[in-house]
Amino acid sequence: MVSDNIKLTPQNAPHRALYHALGLTEEEIARPLVGIVSSYNEIVPGHMNIDKIVDAVKLGVAMAGGTPIVFPAIAVCDGIAMGHVGMKYSLVTRDLIADSTEAMALAHGFDALVMVPNCDKNVPGLLMAAARLNLPTVFVSGGPMLAGHVDGQKTSFSSISEAVGEFNAGKITEEKLREYECKTCPSCGSCSGMYTANSMNCLTEALGMGLRGNGTIPAVYSARIELAKHAGMAVMDMVKKNIRPRDIMTQAAFQNALTVDMALGCSTNSMLHLPAIAHECSIEIDLDIANAISEKTPNLCHLAPAGRTYVEDLDEAGGVYAIMHELNKKGLLDTGCMTVTGKTVGENIAHTPNLNPEVIRPIENPYSETGGIAVLKGNLAPEGSVVKRSAVLPEMLVHEGPARVFECEEDAQAAINAGRIHPGDVVVIRYEGPKGGPGMREMLNPTSAIMGMGLGNSVALITDGRFSGATRGACVGHVSPEAASGGPIGIVREGDIVSIDIPANKIELKISNEEFQSRMTSFTPAKKELTGYLKRYAALVSSGAKGAVLN
């Protein structure tokens, strides 16, 4: 045991004195010390119930012979941070979470960990820490929010975001907007569609780092408490069997996760987080791998915002394991990968049928023969860019139009709200990348405004920033290299023709090669005066195409 180094010998008497100061008994000190990384706080709706999850995990650990000890991890609510300076502090917390968890775990000699995350950067940050520490570790999330209901229809966070655009366009009254506001988010939990938090919690299952139901059992269900107890028991089994995160998170496991990602139609943010987690495992994932997997993986789900089903529906249909069961019919998964259950993927999914073909399409009848995410390349994005193909209207899969160029999100939002964006336009938002933002802000407000104002079938948006999982439409993000690093998105001028061809995985600026080279030669990226953590982050962060990891 790691903790034996600080608790066994007479020389460790000072350490044991401090354990006694915590109220630990001799019996508790003698057992494996299991750190419970609690992301509980009172500002993130997806985290307000995590104290209950943590209590259940503690009970499970104790029942299985361990000593549970809680320490915290921070989390930002992307919805509350959206549309202002706060969003610059969302992605950057991923590394703070990984670093602080590493510090706490190693400083205190824990033998194992149970991670209790839920929201967008909190999950990948803790997965990065798990890979880095390589202690026996199980994940159990806080669970998804229940869908809301307005006019007899289920709703989610994207519904209220798009309702603002409808209100600004005069399509709904202020009273109806207020109804959406009060009914869209009816419970604690991560927002109810296949947004970033739920995407990452589902992919945690696919990676093998969470038990069945981790990504789909609703936050308010008692089954979530049972799952947490089982997670506490499972980590003690991992300690006994010496199963560690890098035994689980292998190259094959990441390919499984990308395959499930394509079938589910996850958030485009997964294309930032999976490479960053893999990087901590000394595994490199590039965007080209994503397209190769997408080409052979059918898209089986259209969960909100792509469709009208929600994570609670996915749970009732059999959850992530049922999707994996469908994928395995065509041999698309490596079923030999180890998981936190102590069993292989194949053993886990052997008896997990699809219970609702309306929610999870049978693999013989997919929404499309290719995956839900596409990586586009071309002279505008030579390192790549990302789009959620499954959430794009058929008529927008191929689009060409004049660029409307903005140097930040706020300027684009003002133009959209003022009615200055017209059918056929391609909105270009730059200097919002990992370095240029800094922090690679999500663009849910402008994308929702475009949809809400009825322009979703005629206007595209591209950015070196990124999108919320709640975004839908022809929205291409992660354009790399970013403008702040001298990327071609920085040379686009008002009125230039931009071509987007999602089936062909291409994005092009339609100017001559001579003009392109001339502009690139004379281009000097704009600089921002930065202070504090954002200054350090901007100096260290890599391209979005490489997962925005810190160098």
Side-chain angles (χ1 to χ4, degrees):
M1 292 285 104
V2 175
S3 63
D4 288 349
N5 295 322
I6 58 174
K7 68 184 186 183
L8 286 186
T9 71
Q11 305 306 314
N12 295 132
H15 302 91
R16 291 194 297 274
L18 292 171
Y19 288 142
H20 286 299
L22 292 171
L24 296 181
T25 65
E26 296 283 358
E27 292 83 359
E28 288 173 305
I29 295 170
R31 295 171 180 170
L33 302 183
V34 181
I36 315 299
V37 187
S38 171
S39 305
Y40 169 75
N41 63 52
E42 294 183 341
I43 188 61
V44 184
H47 291 232
M48 62 183 286
N49 65 317
I50 279 179
D51 56 338
K52 309 297 189 299
I53 306 296
V54 166
D55 286 345
V57 171
K58 289 173 66 178
L59 185 56
V61 168
M63 289 166 62
T67 298
I69 302 174
V70 178
F71 65 88
I74 64 169
V76 163
C77 177
D78 277 23
I80 294 174
M82 195 74 66
H84 59 98
V85 68
M87 183 47 72
K88 295 179 185 287
Y89 287 90
S90 173
L91 179 60
V92 304
T93 64
R94 188 183 69 181
D95 296 277
L96 282 175
I97 291 163
D99 292 349
S100 60
T101 302
E102 174 192 358
M104 288 294 287
L106 293 180
H108 300 106
F110 286 107
D111 298 306
L113 299 167
V114 179
M115 307 292 198
V116 191
N118 211 23
C119 287
D120 296 26
K121 313 310 166 300
N122 185 239
V123 181
L126 290 178
L127 281 165
M128 289 164 67
R132 194 182 298 174
L133 291 161
N134 206 32
L135 297 168
T137 302
V138 174
F139 277 67
V140 55
S141 77
M145 185 183 291
L146 294 176
H149 292 83
V150 175
D151 297 331
Q153 298 291 323
K154 286 185 176 181
T155 60
S156 61
F157 188 69
S158 54
S159 306
I160 178 60
S161 299
E162 292 180 16
V164 173
E166 293 182 58
F167 172 74
N168 289 338
K171 295 184 175 183
I172 61 171
T173 64
E174 188 171 358
E175 182 180 12
K176 177 57 72 173
L177 179 64
R178 172 71 174 166
E179 184 181 0
Y180 273 100
E181 177 185 332
C182 294
K183 293 182 177 179
T184 291
C185 299
S187 75
C188 61
S190 47
C191 295
S192 57
M194 190 46 65
Y195 309 147
T196 305
N198 291 328
S199 294
M200 292 311 302
N201 284 324
C202 287
L203 294 181
T204 298
E205 271 190 71
L207 270 173
M209 289 297 293
L211 301 177
R212 183 182 183 185
N214 177 72
T216 59
I217 297 172
V220 296
Y221 283 14
S222 297
R224 174 68 49 183
I225 300 297
E226 295 177 25
L227 180 72
K229 292 174 184 175
H230 284 131
M233 297 176 201
V235 81
M236 293 307 300
D237 189 54
M238 291 178 72
V239 169
K240 292 170 188 171
K241 295 176 179 176
N242 195 29
I243 299 172
R244 296 170 181 262
R246 290 187 204 170
D247 300 325
I248 295 168
M249 291 192 283
T250 61
Q251 180 82 47
F254 280 104
Q255 291 181 343
N256 282 348
L258 281 166
T259 300
V260 173
D261 190 338
M262 297 303 170
L264 259 177
C266 290
S267 163
T268 52
N269 284 311
S270 64
M271 292 295 99
L272 276 177
H273 300 321
L274 287 175
I277 299 159
H279 180 75
E280 295 290 348
C281 299
S282 299
I283 296 168
E284 297 304 316
I285 293 178
D286 61 37
L287 295 183
D288 292 328
I289 294 175
N291 271 352
I293 291 174
S294 181
E295 286 173 9
K296 62 182 182 181
T297 306
N299 177 225
L300 305 182
C301 295
H302 269 189
L303 295 137
R308 293 190 174 276
T309 53
Y310 296 80
V311 181
E312 62 191 58
D313 302 314
L314 177 60
D315 186 63
E316 292 177 7
V320 174
Y321 278 17
I323 292 169
M324 296 176 79
H325 187 87
E326 288 290 341
L327 292 169
N328 198 42
K329 289 178 181 178
K330 289 193 174 180
L332 295 175
L333 298 175
D334 187 325
T335 56
C337 293
M338 179 51 60
T339 72
V340 294
T341 65
K343 299 177 180 179
T344 65
V345 166
E347 291 173 304
N348 287 342
I349 68 172
H351 305 291
T352 56
N354 178 2
L355 302 177
N356 188 341
E358 298 300 315
V359 176
I360 304 171
R361 286 274 186 96
I363 201 161
E364 301 82 10
N365 181 34
Y367 283 101
S368 67
E369 293 293 341
T370 53
I373 289 177
V375 173
L376 314 185
K377 287 189 174 183
N379 67 355
L380 195 49
E383 290 181 0
S385 59
V386 182
V387 63
K388 188 170 183 174
R389 172 165 43 194
S390 60
V392 178
L393 292 169
E395 59 267 36
M396 290 298 291
L397 289 170
V398 177
H399 181 77
E400 188 169 290
R404 305 296 308 280
V405 182
F406 303 95
E407 309 301 319
C408 65
E409 176 190 1
E410 289 84 354
D411 291 351
Q413 185 70 48
I416 297 166
N417 290 347
R420 300 202 304 271
I421 302 301
H422 307 294
D425 286 349
V426 178
V427 176
V428 178
I429 307 177
R430 61 194 179 196
Y431 293 104
E432 291 287 7
K435 286 183 180 293
M440 207 177 186
R441 288 196 291 179
E442 292 183 347
M443 303 290 158
L444 178 60
N445 285 355
T447 59
S448 295
I450 287 169
M451 296 302 295
M453 296 177 80
L455 296 170
N457 63 349
S458 60
V459 170
L461 187 152
I462 68 171
T463 180
D464 52 10
R466 59 194 179 89
F467 298 116
S468 164
T471 289
R472 64 189 178 106
C475 303
V476 183
H478 309 196
V479 172
S480 301
E482 61 178 294
S485 295
I489 191 173
I491 67 168
V492 181
R493 295 177 183 172
E494 188 81 8
D496 283 346
I497 299 301
V498 174
S499 172
I500 300 167
D501 188 336
I502 296 172
N505 300 318
K506 289 183 179 179
I507 182 167
E508 295 281 338
L509 178 62
K510 306 289 280 189
I511 59 176
S512 69
N513 290 336
E514 292 78 14
E515 175 66 13
F516 186 92
Q517 293 303 325
S518 174
R519 291 190 196 180
M520 288 298 293
T521 300
S522 60
F523 174 46
T524 301
K527 301 291 183 183
K528 294 180 180 178
E529 291 297 321
L530 302 171
T531 60
Y533 181 53
L534 290 183
K535 183 175 183 178
R536 297 196 300 277
Y537 183 86
L540 297 173
V541 71
S542 72
S543 165
K546 297 184 181 299
V549 299
L550 298 188
N551 294 316

mmCIF file of all heavy atoms in Angstrom, residues 35-63:
data_model
loop_
_atom_site.group_PDB
_atom_site.id
_atom_site.type_symbol
_atom_site.label_atom_id
_atom_site.label_comp_id
_atom_site.label_asym_id
_atom_site.label_seq_id
_atom_site.Cartn_x
_atom_site.Cartn_y
_atom_site.Cartn_z
ATOM 1 N N GLY A 35 -9.081 8.014 -1.242
ATOM 2 C CA GLY A 35 -9.489 9.404 -1.414
ATOM 3 C C GLY A 35 -10.767 9.497 -2.227
ATOM 4 O O GLY A 35 -10.869 8.909 -3.307
ATOM 5 N N ILE A 36 -11.749 10.203 -1.699
ATOM 6 C CA ILE A 36 -13.004 10.446 -2.426
ATOM 7 C C ILE A 36 -12.932 11.891 -2.915
ATOM 8 O O ILE A 36 -12.989 12.830 -2.126
ATOM 9 C CB ILE A 36 -14.246 10.260 -1.532
ATOM 10 C CG1 ILE A 36 -14.128 8.984 -0.681
ATOM 11 C CG2 ILE A 36 -15.507 10.273 -2.387
ATOM 12 C CD1 ILE A 36 -14.027 7.714 -1.458
ATOM 13 N N VAL A 37 -12.778 12.052 -4.214
ATOM 14 C CA VAL A 37 -12.608 13.395 -4.769
ATOM 15 C C VAL A 37 -13.990 13.966 -5.064
ATOM 16 O O VAL A 37 -14.651 13.608 -6.041
ATOM 17 C CB VAL A 37 -11.745 13.359 -6.038
ATOM 18 C CG1 VAL A 37 -11.443 14.785 -6.499
ATOM 19 C CG2 VAL A 37 -10.443 12.599 -5.783
ATOM 20 N N SER A 38 -14.428 14.850 -4.183
ATOM 21 C CA SER A 38 -15.787 15.393 -4.243
ATOM 22 C C SER A 38 -15.814 16.718 -4.999
ATOM 23 O O SER A 38 -15.132 17.667 -4.630
ATOM 24 C CB SER A 38 -16.332 15.623 -2.831
ATOM 25 O OG SER A 38 -17.552 16.344 -2.888
ATOM 26 N N SER A 39 -16.646 16.784 -6.030
ATOM 27 C CA SER A 39 -16.809 18.016 -6.797
ATOM 28 C C SER A 39 -18.046 18.795 -6.351
ATOM 29 O O SER A 39 -18.553 19.651 -7.080
ATOM 30 C CB SER A 39 -16.925 17.682 -8.290
ATOM 31 O OG SER A 39 -15.814 16.929 -8.706
ATOM 32 N N TYR A 40 -18.500 18.518 -5.143
ATOM 33 C CA TYR A 40 -19.698 19.198 -4.616
ATOM 34 C C TYR A 40 -19.481 20.701 -4.505
ATOM 35 O O TYR A 40 -18.440 21.164 -4.053
ATOM 36 C CB TYR A 40 -20.050 18.627 -3.245
ATOM 37 C CG TYR A 40 -21.096 19.437 -2.506
ATOM 38 C CD1 TYR A 40 -22.432 19.374 -2.879
ATOM 39 C CD2 TYR A 40 -20.741 20.292 -1.461
ATOM 40 C CE1 TYR A 40 -23.400 20.115 -2.222
ATOM 41 C CE2 TYR A 40 -21.700 21.033 -0.793
ATOM 42 C CZ TYR A 40 -23.031 20.950 -1.179
ATOM 43 O OH TYR A 40 -23.972 21.696 -0.529
ATOM 44 N N ASN A 41 -20.468 21.458 -4.946
ATOM 45 C CA ASN A 41 -20.535 22.890 -4.628
ATOM 46 C C ASN A 41 -21.982 23.347 -4.755
ATOM 47 O O ASN A 41 -22.849 22.566 -5.175
ATOM 48 C CB ASN A 41 -19.594 23.717 -5.515
ATOM 49 C CG ASN A 41 -19.936 23.655 -6.990
ATOM 50 O OD1 ASN A 41 -21.074 23.901 -7.395
ATOM 51 N ND2 ASN A 41 -18.942 23.313 -7.802
ATOM 52 N N GLU A 42 -22.242 24.591 -4.406
ATOM 53 C CA GLU A 42 -23.615 25.097 -4.392
ATOM 54 C C GLU A 42 -23.899 26.081 -5.518
ATOM 55 O O GLU A 42 -24.903 26.787 -5.472
ATOM 56 C CB GLU A 42 -23.910 25.755 -3.036
ATOM 57 C CG GLU A 42 -23.901 24.770 -1.883
ATOM 58 C CD GLU A 42 -24.265 25.400 -0.549
ATOM 59 O OE1 GLU A 42 -24.172 26.642 -0.430
ATOM 60 O OE2 GLU A 42 -24.649 24.657 0.373
ATOM 61 N N ILE A 43 -23.038 26.111 -6.563
ATOM 62 C CA ILE A 43 -23.267 27.021 -7.681
ATOM 63 C C ILE A 43 -23.534 26.264 -8.979
ATOM 64 O O ILE A 43 -24.153 26.792 -9.899
ATOM 65 C CB ILE A 43 -22.079 27.991 -7.855
ATOM 66 C CG1 ILE A 43 -22.389 29.075 -8.896
ATOM 67 C CG2 ILE A 43 -20.786 27.264 -8.216
ATOM 68 C CD1 ILE A 43 -23.555 29.959 -8.570
ATOM 69 N N VAL A 44 -23.110 25.007 -9.087
ATOM 70 C CA VAL A 44 -23.309 24.222 -10.308
ATOM 71 C C VAL A 44 -24.480 23.263 -10.099
ATOM 72 O O VAL A 44 -24.415 22.392 -9.220
ATOM 73 C CB VAL A 44 -22.040 23.422 -10.673
ATOM 74 C CG1 VAL A 44 -22.238 22.694 -11.994
ATOM 75 C CG2 VAL A 44 -20.819 24.344 -10.751
ATOM 76 N N PRO A 45 -25.573 23.382 -10.877
ATOM 77 C CA PRO A 45 -26.727 22.488 -10.677
ATOM 78 C C PRO A 45 -26.368 21.010 -10.790
ATOM 79 O O PRO A 45 -26.981 20.175 -10.129
ATOM 80 C CB PRO A 45 -27.691 22.910 -11.792
ATOM 81 C CG PRO A 45 -27.347 24.333 -12.064
ATOM 82 C CD PRO A 45 -25.863 24.427 -11.885
ATOM 83 N N GLY A 46 -25.383 20.688 -11.607
ATOM 84 C CA GLY A 46 -24.961 19.302 -11.745
ATOM 85 C C GLY A 46 -24.190 18.782 -10.557
ATOM 86 O O GLY A 46 -23.893 17.585 -10.478
ATOM 87 N N HIS A 47 -23.871 19.676 -9.600
ATOM 88 C CA HIS A 47 -23.017 19.287 -8.484
ATOM 89 C C HIS A 47 -23.695 19.441 -7.123
ATOM 90 O O HIS A 47 -23.141 19.026 -6.105
ATOM 91 C CB HIS A 47 -21.721 20.101 -8.514
ATOM 92 C CG HIS A 47 -20.838 19.750 -9.655
ATOM 93 N ND1 HIS A 47 -19.517 19.420 -9.513
ATOM 94 C CD2 HIS A 47 -21.093 19.642 -10.984
ATOM 95 C CE1 HIS A 47 -18.983 19.147 -10.700
ATOM 96 N NE2 HIS A 47 -19.943 19.272 -11.600
ATOM 97 N N MET A 48 -24.879 20.009 -7.095
ATOM 98 C CA MET A 48 -25.529 20.295 -5.813
ATOM 99 C C MET A 48 -25.968 19.023 -5.082
ATOM 100 O O MET A 48 -26.227 19.050 -3.876
ATOM 101 C CB MET A 48 -26.724 21.219 -6.022
ATOM 102 C CG MET A 48 -27.820 20.647 -6.905
ATOM 103 S SD MET A 48 -29.178 21.803 -7.203
ATOM 104 C CE MET A 48 -30.012 21.762 -5.612
ATOM 105 N N ASN A 49 -26.026 17.897 -5.803
ATOM 106 C CA ASN A 49 -26.404 16.622 -5.182
ATOM 107 C C ASN A 49 -25.211 15.719 -4.905
ATOM 108 O O ASN A 49 -25.363 14.609 -4.392
ATOM 109 C CB ASN A 49 -27.375 15.866 -6.088
ATOM 110 C CG ASN A 49 -26.733 15.442 -7.415
ATOM 111 O OD1 ASN A 49 -26.010 16.220 -8.025
ATOM 112 N ND2 ASN A 49 -26.991 14.235 -7.869
ATOM 113 N N ILE A 50 -24.018 16.183 -5.232
ATOM 114 C CA ILE A 50 -22.847 15.312 -5.143
ATOM 115 C C ILE A 50 -22.501 14.955 -3.702
ATOM 116 O O ILE A 50 -21.907 13.904 -3.439
ATOM 117 C CB ILE A 50 -21.652 15.935 -5.918
ATOM 118 C CG1 ILE A 50 -21.836 15.630 -7.413
ATOM 119 C CG2 ILE A 50 -20.303 15.442 -5.416
ATOM 120 C CD1 ILE A 50 -20.766 16.196 -8.320
ATOM 121 N N ASP A 51 -22.920 15.786 -2.752
ATOM 122 C CA ASP A 51 -22.673 15.422 -1.342
ATOM 123 C C ASP A 51 -23.364 14.106 -0.991
ATOM 124 O O ASP A 51 -22.813 13.270 -0.259
ATOM 125 C CB ASP A 51 -23.115 16.542 -0.398
ATOM 126 C CG ASP A 51 -24.576 16.957 -0.569
ATOM 127 O OD1 ASP A 51 -25.167 16.716 -1.635
ATOM 128 O OD2 ASP A 51 -25.122 17.556 0.381
ATOM 129 N N LYS A 52 -24.554 13.886 -1.562
ATOM 130 C CA LYS A 52 -25.272 12.625 -1.314
ATOM 131 C C LYS A 52 -24.554 11.452 -1.981
ATOM 132 O O LYS A 52 -24.464 10.354 -1.419
ATOM 133 C CB LYS A 52 -26.697 12.703 -1.864
ATOM 134 C CG LYS A 52 -27.492 13.930 -1.428
ATOM 135 C CD LYS A 52 -27.714 13.987 0.069
ATOM 136 C CE LYS A 52 -28.679 15.092 0.476
ATOM 137 N NZ LYS A 52 -28.218 16.451 0.108
ATOM 138 N N ILE A 53 -24.028 11.691 -3.188
ATOM 139 C CA ILE A 53 -23.273 10.651 -3.897
ATOM 140 C C ILE A 53 -22.022 10.286 -3.105
ATOM 141 O O ILE A 53 -21.690 9.102 -2.929
ATOM 142 C CB ILE A 53 -22.893 11.130 -5.313
ATOM 143 C CG1 ILE A 53 -24.119 11.599 -6.097
ATOM 144 C CG2 ILE A 53 -22.133 10.043 -6.060
ATOM 145 C CD1 ILE A 53 -25.138 10.542 -6.377
ATOM 146 N N VAL A 54 -21.340 11.310 -2.614
ATOM 147 C CA VAL A 54 -20.101 11.094 -1.849
ATOM 148 C C VAL A 54 -20.380 10.279 -0.591
ATOM 149 O O VAL A 54 -19.629 9.358 -0.238
ATOM 150 C CB VAL A 54 -19.437 12.440 -1.506
ATOM 151 C CG1 VAL A 54 -18.359 12.273 -0.440
ATOM 152 C CG2 VAL A 54 -18.842 13.062 -2.765
ATOM 153 N N ASP A 55 -21.468 10.602 0.111
ATOM 154 C CA ASP A 55 -21.815 9.836 1.319
ATOM 155 C C ASP A 55 -22.032 8.360 0.982
ATOM 156 O O ASP A 55 -21.616 7.463 1.734
ATOM 157 C CB ASP A 55 -23.081 10.408 1.960
ATOM 158 C CG ASP A 55 -22.830 11.740 2.665
ATOM 159 O OD1 ASP A 55 -21.644 12.073 2.904
ATOM 160 O OD2 ASP A 55 -23.814 12.441 2.963
ATOM 161 N N ALA A 56 -22.671 8.097 -0.162
ATOM 162 C CA ALA A 56 -22.914 6.710 -0.565
ATOM 163 C C ALA A 56 -21.609 6.008 -0.948
ATOM 164 O O ALA A 56 -21.402 4.835 -0.620
ATOM 165 C CB ALA A 56 -23.898 6.678 -1.739
ATOM 166 N N VAL A 57 -20.715 6.732 -1.634
ATOM 167 C CA VAL A 57 -19.407 6.155 -1.976
ATOM 168 C C VAL A 57 -18.647 5.793 -0.707
ATOM 169 O O VAL A 57 -18.059 4.707 -0.597
ATOM 170 C CB VAL A 57 -18.585 7.147 -2.822
ATOM 171 C CG1 VAL A 57 -17.141 6.638 -2.986
ATOM 172 C CG2 VAL A 57 -19.211 7.345 -4.200
ATOM 173 N N LYS A 58 -18.652 6.690 0.259
ATOM 174 C CA LYS A 58 -17.948 6.436 1.527
ATOM 175 C C LYS A 58 -18.460 5.158 2.176
ATOM 176 O O LYS A 58 -17.675 4.340 2.677
ATOM 177 C CB LYS A 58 -18.131 7.623 2.478
ATOM 178 C CG LYS A 58 -17.375 8.877 2.072
ATOM 179 C CD LYS A 58 -17.733 10.068 2.955
ATOM 180 C CE LYS A 58 -17.276 9.878 4.383
ATOM 181 N NZ LYS A 58 -17.595 11.077 5.210
ATOM 182 N N LEU A 59 -19.771 4.990 2.157
ATOM 183 C CA LEU A 59 -20.360 3.798 2.757
ATOM 184 C C LEU A 59 -19.904 2.547 2.010
ATOM 185 O O LEU A 59 -19.543 1.529 2.629
ATOM 186 C CB LEU A 59 -21.889 3.908 2.748
ATOM 187 C CG LEU A 59 -22.664 2.795 3.454
ATOM 188 C CD1 LEU A 59 -22.223 2.659 4.910
ATOM 189 C CD2 LEU A 59 -24.166 3.069 3.373
ATOM 190 N N GLY A 60 -19.884 2.624 0.672
ATOM 191 C CA GLY A 60 -19.452 1.479 -0.120
ATOM 192 C C GLY A 60 -17.998 1.111 0.138
ATOM 193 O O GLY A 60 -17.654 -0.073 0.259
ATOM 194 N N VAL A 61 -17.131 2.112 0.246
ATOM 195 C CA VAL A 61 -15.717 1.869 0.536
ATOM 196 C C VAL A 61 -15.566 1.208 1.902
ATOM 197 O O VAL A 61 -14.842 0.212 2.064
ATOM 198 C CB VAL A 61 -14.905 3.184 0.477
ATOM 199 C CG1 VAL A 61 -13.506 2.989 1.069
ATOM 200 C CG2 VAL A 61 -14.811 3.696 -0.956
ATOM 201 N N ALA A 62 -16.268 1.752 2.900
ATOM 202 C CA ALA A 62 -16.166 1.212 4.257
ATOM 203 C C ALA A 62 -16.702 -0.215 4.327
ATOM 204 O O ALA A 62 -16.117 -1.086 4.993
ATOM 205 C CB ALA A 62 -16.907 2.120 5.232
ATOM 206 N N MET A 63 -17.814 -0.479 3.627
ATOM 207 C CA MET A 63 -18.394 -1.821 3.607
ATOM 208 C C MET A 63 -17.411 -2.844 3.044
ATOM 209 O O MET A 63 -17.416 -4.012 3.432
ATOM 210 C CB MET A 63 -19.682 -1.822 2.772
ATOM 211 C CG MET A 63 -20.850 -1.102 3.425
ATOM 212 S SD MET A 63 -22.202 -0.759 2.264
ATOM 213 C CE MET A 63 -22.680 -2.397 1.772
#
